């Protein structure tokens, strides 16, 4: 894979040599394009040494342009990755300006573009940056991260560049060609989002799930090389690149779509907030408000997770437990009752869990548990996938495990 790696002027540029190494380990050719301000944070000498190619930075460099013009470079790229991506470069790409070599390549390329933002948390949450992020995502540019945690400026929050290995893994899966990864050659089925249980043609019962956690899990599984089927309830999210998405509405539709996809699956992760009950009958015409009170008769929806865990040949099955109290106790009960291999428990409420970009979790299995403190759903998903992969190989035999080290620390 040919990667144009754009490096812009943020402190996270010091991680760029490591990122280049991770991309090259996966077999990529990396051509670095630096902006002038990036040179303030990392030297072109170091980058030239790790990339094995002269660094490009000046649009008007006659010698370099004669060897490979910016247009040829834009064509050469299978992916353009900018890491770290500053608020400034995001704004420049949004505006369509091309004042330097990197933004000119972004305008001239037909390859997928991915940005790994890195900036102070206030700059990241600034409405202008968030509006730019939305525009970029809407145009199909992949935004990888940022992570949440301590920042170079001494503050805590969202804005850290994600770790080079995660960026490399994600980028490798953008072009459809699978890279290396813990789940290479494995099939993972994920359910995500809420379900809608119709009452009449205009009304339904649903819940506050945004689908963000399930989508992040599907993305993290793709980044680890898995073939991923994402069975999704109605959400307002972009499809994670590299996944096969099956859109459904009701619990019964989700049950059918999941069972249709599960046959040769190795791992099943049920992240959807499936309705437990649905109206017994769907009224054909819109219900009129004739009486002072009305009641709806509800019946149980099929339990997708329990039904998959009970299959004769069941995949490694992971459930979620969203609880408002007694989180560990209730989750362990569900682990046993539904006969799961693993359960991911988290607290939900008005200001945690649902429809947020961050989350924390306690993962439980027979005889053990592991706590993950609050981080972005993207980072949490990466940790959860690594942990699930580790247990999957431990339980289902390690002979098929790709020769990679399983990293399970959560820092
Ligand atoms: N689940 C499912 N099908 C359902 C209901 C839930 O697959 N019909 C899955 C969810 O995706 C999640 C887990 O089961 O992985 C949640 O377990 P559940 O016991 O249903 O949780 P709650 O609905 O929160 O249960 P309770 O109200 O009893 O706490």
């Amino acid at each position: 894979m040919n990667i144009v790696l754009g490096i812009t002027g943020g402190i996270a540029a010091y991680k760029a040599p490591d990122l280049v190494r991770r991309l090259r380990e996966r077999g990529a050719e990396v051509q670095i394009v630096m902006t002038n301000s990036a040179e303030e944070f990392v030297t072109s000498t170091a980058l030239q040494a790790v990339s094995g190619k002269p660094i490009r930075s000046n649009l008007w460099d006659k010698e370099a342009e004669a060897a490979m013009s910016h247009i040829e470079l834009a064509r050469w790229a299978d992916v353009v990755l900018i890491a770290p991506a500053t608020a400034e470069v995001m704004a420049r790409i949004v505006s369509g300006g091309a004042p330097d070599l990197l933004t000119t390549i972004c305008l001239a390329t037909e390859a997928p573009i991915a940005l790994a933002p890195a900036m102070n948390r206030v700059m990241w949450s600034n409405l202008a940056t968030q509006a730019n992020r939305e525009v970029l995502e809407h145009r199909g540019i992949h935004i990888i991260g940022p992570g949440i945690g301590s920042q170079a400026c001494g503050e805590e929050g969202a804005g850290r560049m994600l770790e080079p290995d995660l960026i490399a893994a994600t980028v490798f899966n953008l072009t459809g060609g699978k890279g290396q990864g813990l789940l290479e050659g494995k099939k993972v089925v994920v359910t995500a989002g809420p379900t809608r249980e119709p009452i009449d043609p205009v009304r339904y019962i649903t819940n506050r799930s945004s689908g963000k956690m399930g989508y992040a899990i599907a993305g993290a599984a793709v980044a680890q090389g898995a073939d991923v089927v994402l069975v999704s309830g109605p959400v307002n999210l972009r499809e994670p690149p590299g996944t096969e998405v099956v859109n459904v509405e009701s619990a019964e539709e989700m049950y059918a779509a999941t069972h249709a996809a599960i046959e040769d699956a190795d791992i099943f992760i049920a992240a959807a907030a499936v309705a437990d009950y649905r109206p017994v009958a769907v009224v054909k015409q819109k219900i009129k408000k004739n009486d002072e009170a009305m009641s709806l008769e509800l019946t149980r929806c099929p339990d997708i997770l329990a039904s998959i865990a009970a299959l004769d040949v069941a995949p490694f099955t992971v459930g979620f437990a969203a609880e408002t109290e007694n989180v560990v106790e209730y989750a362990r009960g569900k682990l046993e009752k539904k006969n799961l291999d693993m359960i991911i428990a988290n607290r939900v409420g008005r200001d945690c869990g649902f429809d947020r970009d961050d989350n924390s979790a306690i993962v439980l299995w027979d005889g053990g548990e592991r706590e993950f403190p609050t981080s972005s759903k993207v980072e949490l998903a990466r940790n959860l996938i690594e942990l699930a992969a580790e247990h999957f190989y431990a339980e289902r035999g390690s002979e098929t495990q790709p020769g990679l080290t399983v990293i399970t620390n959560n820092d």
Side-chain angles (χ1 to χ4, degrees), residues 191-193 195 197 251-252 254-255 258 268-277 300-308 318-324 330 333-334 337-338 340 342-344 348 354:
T191 62
T195 61
E197 308 305 324
E252 282 186 317
M254 188 174 275
Y255 180 95
T258 307
F268 172 57
I269 302 177
V274 189
D276 291 323
Y277 294 92
R300 280 290 286 271
C301 293
D303 190 318
I304 304 165
L305 178 61
S307 69
I308 299 284
V318 182
F320 268 78
E323 309 289 354
T324 53
Y330 285 154
K334 287 175 187 175
K337 190 161 165 246
K338 297 198 190 190
L340 309 178
M342 195 173 247
I343 194 154
I344 301 163
V348 290
F354 281 149

Side-chain angles (χ1 to χ4, degrees), residues 9-278:
I11 180 65
Y14 82 89
K15 292 183 180 171
D18 188 25
L19 176 58
V20 175
R21 207 168 56 86
R22 305 291 178 154
L23 294 168
R24 292 193 71 193
E25 271 170 9
R26 290 169 183 264
E29 292 255 334
V30 180
Q31 173 61 61
I32 294 173
V33 176
M34 290 174 85
T35 60
N36 287 341
S37 16
E39 309 243 11
E40 302 285 335
F41 295 94
V42 60
T43 72
S44 51
T45 318
L47 289 168
Q48 180 155 328
V50 286
S51 70
K53 286 185 195 297
I55 305 305
R56 299 285 300 265
S57 55
N58 183 356
L59 185 55
W60 310 113
D61 180 337
K62 291 194 179 59
E63 219 173 279
E65 280 287 312
M68 194 193 259
S69 74
H70 57 276
I71 298 296
E72 283 168 314
L73 203 48
R75 281 196 205 119
W76 172 86
D78 294 314
V79 174
V80 176
L81 166 65
I82 305 182
T86 56
E88 166 65 17
V89 84
M90 290 173 67
R92 255 189 263 163
I93 297 172
V94 165
S95 76
D100 55 25
L101 179 59
L102 183 56
T103 43
T104 306
I105 290 171
C106 288
L107 266 189
T109 194
E110 287 180 324
I113 299 176
L115 308 184
M119 65 198 76
N120 163 273
R121 66 175 181 88
V122 184
M123 291 171 80
W124 173 249
S125 60
N126 186 294
L127 290 182
T129 309
Q130 287 306 307
N132 287 339
R133 177 190 57 78
E134 257 176 48
V135 172
L136 292 169
E137 285 190 327
H138 190 69
R139 290 181 193 163
I141 290 180
H142 305 282
I143 306 291
I144 308 173
I148 295 178
S150 61
Q151 300 204 290
C153 50
E155 298 187 14
E156 283 276 329
R160 268 163 64 110
M161 188 171 91
L162 289 181
E163 290 311 313
D165 200 29
L166 178 58
I167 297 174
T170 308
V171 163
F172 251 79
N173 289 288
L174 292 181
T175 54
K178 300 283 175 217
Q180 300 170 344
L182 295 173
L183 295 174
E184 200 185 337
K186 300 285 173 260
K187 179 173 173 185
V188 177
V189 177
V190 181
T191 62
T195 61
R196 280 181 188 166
E197 308 305 324
I199 298 170
D200 69 12
V202 295
R203 302 178 178 98
Y204 51 77
I205 300 172
T206 191
N207 58 64
R208 284 158 47 84
S209 165
S210 65
K212 284 179 184 167
M213 195 65 235
Y215 272 54
I217 294 230
V222 169
Q224 288 294 359
D227 290 319
V228 178
V229 178
L230 174 59
V231 183
S232 175
V235 296
N236 198 9
L237 299 172
R238 278 208 12 247
E239 296 186 358
T243 54
E244 180 190 332
V245 180
V246 183
N247 289 305
V248 297
E249 289 221 347
S250 67
E252 282 186 317
E253 285 170 16
M254 188 174 275
Y255 180 95
T258 307
H259 277 269
I262 211 72
E263 200 188 334
D264 49 352
D266 299 285
I267 299 177
F268 172 57
I269 302 177
V274 189
D276 291 323
Y277 294 92
R278 63 177 165 80

Side-chain angles (χ1 to χ4, degrees), residues 273-287:
V274 189
D276 291 323
Y277 294 92
R278 63 177 165 80
V280 171
V282 182
V283 181
K284 287 219 165 55
Q285 304 300 334
K286 187 180 164 209
I287 301 171

